[in-house]
């Protein structure tokens, strides 16, 4: 078994991160990581560029899918998937298009509120990534329409704020099925931020494979708590920084010190799926 530490949750500029896939890989090597999963929101675009420069760094194919369950955001991390599996790739393309529609509608609402923000300005901020609220917030700061990123969310973009536009979400059952069909495993992201532990068992019944135990926003008590839940329900554990490249010392790439054994267990779990499960993939 490989020794060393891994990070199974980070973002590049193909979603709401700051650095390119190549820069992210370089930073992971600098931090001494032995494996990395780039889990951009509803996007696979960073995977091939990362693989091209990975060298000795093991790249784990991944994505973070935006799901909704009982009117709450539930993000689903997928690992060890075939990111070119057509049904999943086509669904991801659909949600990318929905993100663009949402960005256009957010800008329209801001314009109606009297803020002179142009869609082209937001596109320049988003760069390679699909437009999201973070890009709108950054553009608002750049255009001096608000003083800070947090102000953009609190006054205009946050839930119940006047320019908020709901996302188009994956159904969690559909997401889990697609991930399994693509040969991977589905992991509930940062359950400590969702604060609805009762849904973990529901998701388990849908086929959920694991939960993210190690996360930058989880306290040490929450780490112990979600380890116990994973053990009780027979779920895998996962972990990562949720690094975006912003100035957040609590979410630095590799800061969760997740051992490679976590990834090894995932691989062994996939290898021991029943023949029927493999046939359905």
């Amino acid at each position: 078994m490989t020794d060393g530490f891994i990070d199974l949750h980070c973002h590049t500029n193909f979603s709401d991160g700051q650095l390119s896939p190549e820069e992210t890989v370089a930073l992971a090597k600098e931090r001494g990581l032995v494996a990395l999963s780039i889990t951009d929101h509803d996007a696979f675009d960073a995977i091939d560029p990362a693989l091209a420069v990975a060298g000795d760094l093991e790249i784990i194919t991944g994505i973070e899918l935006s799901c909704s369950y009982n009117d709450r955001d539930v993000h689903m991390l997928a690992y060890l998937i075939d990111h070119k599996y057509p049904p999943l790739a086509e669904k991801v393309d659909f949600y990318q298009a929905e993100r663009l529609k949402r960005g256009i509608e957010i800008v329209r609402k801001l314009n109606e509120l009297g803020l002179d923000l142009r869609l082209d300005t937001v596109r320049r901020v988003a760069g390679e990534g699909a437009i999201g609220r973070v890009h709108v917030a950054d553009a608002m700061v750049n255009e001096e329409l608000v003083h800070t990123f947090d102000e953009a969310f609190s006054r205009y973009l946050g839930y119940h704020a006047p320019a908020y536009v709901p996302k188009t979400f994956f159904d969690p059952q559909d997401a889990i099925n697609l991930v399994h069909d693509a040969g991977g495993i589905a992991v509930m992201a940062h359950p400590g931020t969702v604060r609805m532990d009762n849904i973990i068992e529901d998701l388990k019944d849908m086929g959920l494979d694991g939960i993210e135990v190690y996360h930058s926003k989880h306290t040490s008590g929450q780490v112990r708590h979600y380890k116990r839940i994973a053990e009780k329900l027979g779920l895998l554990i996962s972990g990562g920084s949720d690094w975006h490249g912003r100035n957040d010392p609590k979410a630095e790439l590799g800061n969760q010190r997740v051992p490679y054994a976590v990834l090894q267990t995932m691989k062994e779990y996939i290898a021991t799926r029943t023949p029927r499960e493999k046939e359905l993939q």
Side-chain angles (χ1 to χ4, degrees), residues 48-273:
D48 287 339
L51 286 167
V53 297
D56 292 336
L57 178 68
E58 184 177 359
I59 300 296
I60 305 303
T61 52
I63 194 170
E64 185 169 6
L65 301 173
S66 302
C67 301
S68 180
Y69 184 68
N70 289 347
D71 297 320
R72 293 291 297 272
D73 286 10
V74 179
H75 288 189
M76 199 75 66
L77 294 160
Y79 299 117
L80 299 163
I81 49 177
D82 175 3
H83 63 293
K84 298 186 186 296
Y85 176 65
L88 179 57
E90 289 165 12
K91 198 75 169 179
V92 167
D93 286 344
F94 167 77
Y95 281 97
Q96 286 282 302
E98 290 297 303
R99 277 177 171 266
L100 175 58
K101 291 179 186 177
R102 184 190 189 209
I104 292 170
E105 180 63 12
I106 290 172
V107 171
R108 186 190 67 77
K109 284 194 168 193
L110 290 170
N111 293 161
E112 286 185 349
L113 292 167
L115 280 72
D116 184 17
L117 182 67
R118 299 181 183 277
L119 183 63
D120 286 347
T121 302
V122 180
R123 283 181 182 275
R124 285 195 296 272
V125 171
E128 300 282 1
I131 292 173
R133 284 186 297 166
V134 294
H135 303 122
V136 178
D138 283 338
M140 292 171 73
V141 173
N142 294 346
E143 295 296 300
E144 299 183 348
L145 299 173
V146 292
H147 294 293
T148 66
F149 182 89
D150 288 342
E151 182 189 353
F153 270 83
S154 63
R155 291 185 60 187
Y156 298 105
L157 305 176
Y159 297 110
H160 310 300
Y164 176 74
V165 176
K167 278 184 184 177
T168 301
F169 290 99
F170 274 88
D171 174 81
Q173 182 70 77
D174 290 344
I176 290 169
N177 290 346
L178 275 169
V179 169
H180 288 172
D181 289 346
I185 60 173
V187 172
M188 180 183 177
H190 40 71
T193 68
V194 180
R195 298 179 182 177
M196 288 181 64
D197 289 356
N198 58 302
I199 73 172
I200 297 175
E201 196 159 353
D202 292 345
L203 295 174
K204 163 73 173 177
D205 290 340
M206 296 179 197
L208 184 75
D209 302 296
I211 54 177
E212 187 175 38
V213 169
Y214 304 101
H215 185 271
S216 296
K217 289 185 179 178
H218 283 180
T219 65
S220 57
Q222 286 176 312
V223 170
R224 292 191 295 272
H225 172 69
Y226 288 111
K227 277 184 177 179
R228 287 194 294 268
I229 288 179
E231 183 176 355
K232 175 184 175 183
L233 297 179
L235 293 167
L236 299 167
I237 67 171
S238 182
S241 60
D242 204 356
W243 177 84
H244 287 73
R246 297 179 182 277
N247 293 322
D248 184 356
K250 294 181 180 179
E252 288 292 336
L253 190 69
N255 73 344
Q256 294 302 295
R257 311 301 282 170
V258 181
Y260 189 89
V262 166
L263 176 58
Q264 184 64 34
T265 300
M266 289 180 179
K267 292 179 177 180
E268 292 169 358
Y269 169 83
I270 288 179
T272 57
R273 280 179 170 158

Side-chain angles (χ1 to χ4, degrees), residues 1-29:
M1 182 186 296
T2 302
D3 293 324
F5 297 103
I6 65 177
D7 194 319
L8 298 181
H9 192 166
C10 69
H11 300 275
T12 73
N13 61 354
F14 278 105
S15 64
D16 54 350
Q18 296 288 297
L19 299 187
S20 69
E22 295 85 354
E23 291 169 324
T24 302
V25 167
L27 182 60
K29 292 178 180 179

